[in-house]
Amino acid sequence: MKTYNIACIPGDGIGQEVIPAGQTVLAALAAKSTEFRFDFHSFDWGGDYYRRHGVMMPADGLDALRPMDAILFGSAGDPDIPDHITLWGLRLKICQGFDQYANVRPTRILPGIDAPLKRCTPAQLDWVIVRENSEGEYAGVGGRAHQGHPIEVATDVSMMTRVGVQRIMRYAFKLAQSRPRKLLTVVTKSNAQRHAMVMWDEIAKEISAEFPDVHWDKELVDACTARMVNRPASLDTVVATNLHADILSDLAAALAGSLGIAPTGNIDPERRYPSMFEPIHGSAFDIMGQGLANPIGTFWSCVMLLEHIGLTAPAKQLMQAIEAVTADPQLHTRDLGGPAGTAQVTEAVCQQLHNK
């Protein structure tokens, strides 16, 4: 029996509720198998850790994560700590420290969910957004000077490198090639950003020559928001910069019904380091501790985790269990307009796994 070591970092807010739920579901899946098991390694990093130690995670935290097969992450964000400290001190420290340069966010309308696009069938909204996850607008290049004075200046520089753009484009084209429609949309803003985004466009064209069977087009990011609403069936795989994809993927999740159901994977495609999987909903302190958090985004992130470590059949079983639960409106959490809580949804998914 193979043992997979999974690092669990609940982080802040409802992350402390949905990550234990994710562990429960993974344990239920493993209980049915004689071929694999999970060892969960918990790390109490986040806002509470910051209040005790002045940092979001220890200086040698990456060394503790390095031997893991994968990381299950909750959320980073605390109303009493500036957002740039919580983000850069934990989530981005892991993403950049392990060069998880491909952020992958699948979106589709799950059974039983009433999505806001009334003229859209579930088959017409089945997307994967690939987000460049290591540079661009979130490269961290910039600074402030003359703070508090009329001449104060603050800069954030969007930095793109040829190797960074090449590798995310190649990843996106490969992903599009693996999907039935073999369709890729490259999101840009090169009409206004005439240096880095023009290079982005040029490299997309160069990489496209390696994938002659992939049909691709280019869309300005502002036009893409309208296209997602008005012509969802025209999209399949989408690749965008760090900032653009961050925004578009939240819109995508809302169009599919709720941010509470949306998963993401922070992937090191070369598998030099562990990849990290997380729901995209954030810490949601307003509902923390009330048992209201939707764990579906975490469960779907667990599906991505299983696929990444090679457990494709268990991943399919878990996705089927998730879909069976979302098909029942009585098992919808409040964000989906239903009466269920975190524990009830978790129990229902485990029961589905037990019955399979």
Side-chain angles (χ1 to χ4, degrees):
M1 178 180 288
K2 183 172 175 54
T3 298
Y4 294 91
N5 291 291
I6 309 298
C8 296
I9 310 174
D12 303 320
I14 61 171
Q16 298 178 17
E17 300 169 57
V18 296
I19 294 307
Q23 290 178 237
T24 298
V25 164
L26 287 175
L29 193 63
K32 293 173 58 67
S33 176
T34 59
E35 298 179 0
F36 67 90
R37 62 185 296 270
F38 298 115
D39 271 358
F40 299 110
H41 304 259
S42 296
F43 297 87
D44 63 344
W45 305 337
D48 291 338
Y49 190 92
Y50 180 86
R51 277 182 275 274
R52 296 193 303 269
H53 303 283
V55 290
M56 294 290 289
M57 63 181 283
D60 61 352
L62 293 180
D63 292 333
L65 297 176
R66 205 180 309 272
M68 302 294 162
D69 293 294
I71 304 165
L72 187 60
F73 184 82
S75 61
D78 187 301
D80 297 325
I81 305 171
D83 287 342
H84 66 280
I85 291 177
T86 58
L87 183 65
W88 281 93
L90 184 56
R91 185 184 175 277
L92 288 185
K93 188 171 182 179
I94 296 170
C95 289
Q96 295 195 351
F98 286 154
D99 199 19
Q100 297 166 345
Y101 66 83
N103 179 276
V104 181
R105 299 191 173 192
T107 304
R108 58 186 175 88
I109 301 173
L110 297 179
I113 290 180
D114 183 24
L117 291 182
K118 300 304 179 186
R119 292 177 295 157
C120 175
T121 67
Q124 293 174 317
L125 199 165
D126 185 356
W127 306 329
V128 178
I129 297 177
V130 177
R131 169 184 173 185
E132 200 293 312
N133 206 36
S134 65
E135 50 182 39
E137 303 89 348
Y138 298 168
V141 178
R144 295 177 67 178
H146 310 298
Q147 287 182 246
H149 297 277
I151 59 170
E152 181 174 356
V153 59
T155 61
D156 277 295
V157 180
S158 176
M159 183 186 72
M160 295 187 191
T161 63
R162 173 163 287 272
V163 67
V165 178
Q166 283 177 330
R167 65 186 188 176
I168 199 63
M169 287 295 175
R170 190 168 283 114
Y171 183 92
F173 270 96
K174 284 182 179 178
L175 181 59
Q177 188 181 54
S178 73
R179 287 169 59 82
R181 297 178 67 191
K182 300 185 187 303
L183 175 65
L184 177 67
T185 297
V186 176
V187 175
T188 187
K189 194 58 182 171
S190 50
N191 60 338
Q193 295 175 286
R194 58 198 178 113
H195 302 297
M197 292 306 303
V198 170
M199 184 182 77
W200 171 271
D201 293 352
E202 292 171 351
I203 293 174
K205 185 175 182 180
E206 293 170 11
I207 298 298
S208 71
E210 302 175 17
F211 301 88
D213 58 334
V214 174
H215 176 75
W216 74 286
D217 64 353
K218 186 173 68 173
E219 188 78 87
L220 295 175
V221 63
D222 44 336
C224 194
T225 61
R227 181 173 168 182
M228 290 169 70
V229 174
N230 295 327
R231 296 187 295 126
S234 71
L235 295 167
D236 186 83
T237 309
V238 177
V239 62
T241 68
N242 218 329
L243 174 62
H244 293 165
D246 192 5
I247 296 168
L248 291 177
S249 58
D250 276 18
L251 172 59
L255 294 176
S258 171
L259 264 67
I261 64 173
T264 188
N266 302 286
I267 309 295
D268 167 26
E270 284 72 43
R271 298 177 181 269
R272 299 157 296 175
Y273 309 105
S275 293
M276 181 165 68
F277 302 86
E278 58 177 321
I280 74 169
H281 51 56
S283 55
F285 262 74
D286 57 324
I287 61 169
M288 179 186 178
Q290 301 176 48
L292 299 174
N294 190 341
I296 294 295
T298 298
F299 299 161
W300 196 348
S301 298
C302 290
V303 171
M304 297 181 72
L305 183 156
L306 292 166
E307 291 171 339
H308 183 74
I309 63 177
L311 296 177
T312 53
K316 185 177 181 180
Q317 290 177 352
L318 178 53
M319 197 69 225
Q320 290 172 343
I322 291 169
E323 292 173 341
V325 168
T326 63
D328 183 353
Q330 292 303 306
L331 293 174
H332 289 182
T333 45
R334 190 175 70 175
D335 57 304
L336 295 172
T342 311
Q344 188 178 356
V345 175
T346 303
E347 182 181 354
V349 171
C350 289
Q351 187 62 47
Q352 285 291 328
L353 292 172
H354 178 73
N355 293 338
K356 288 185 179 297

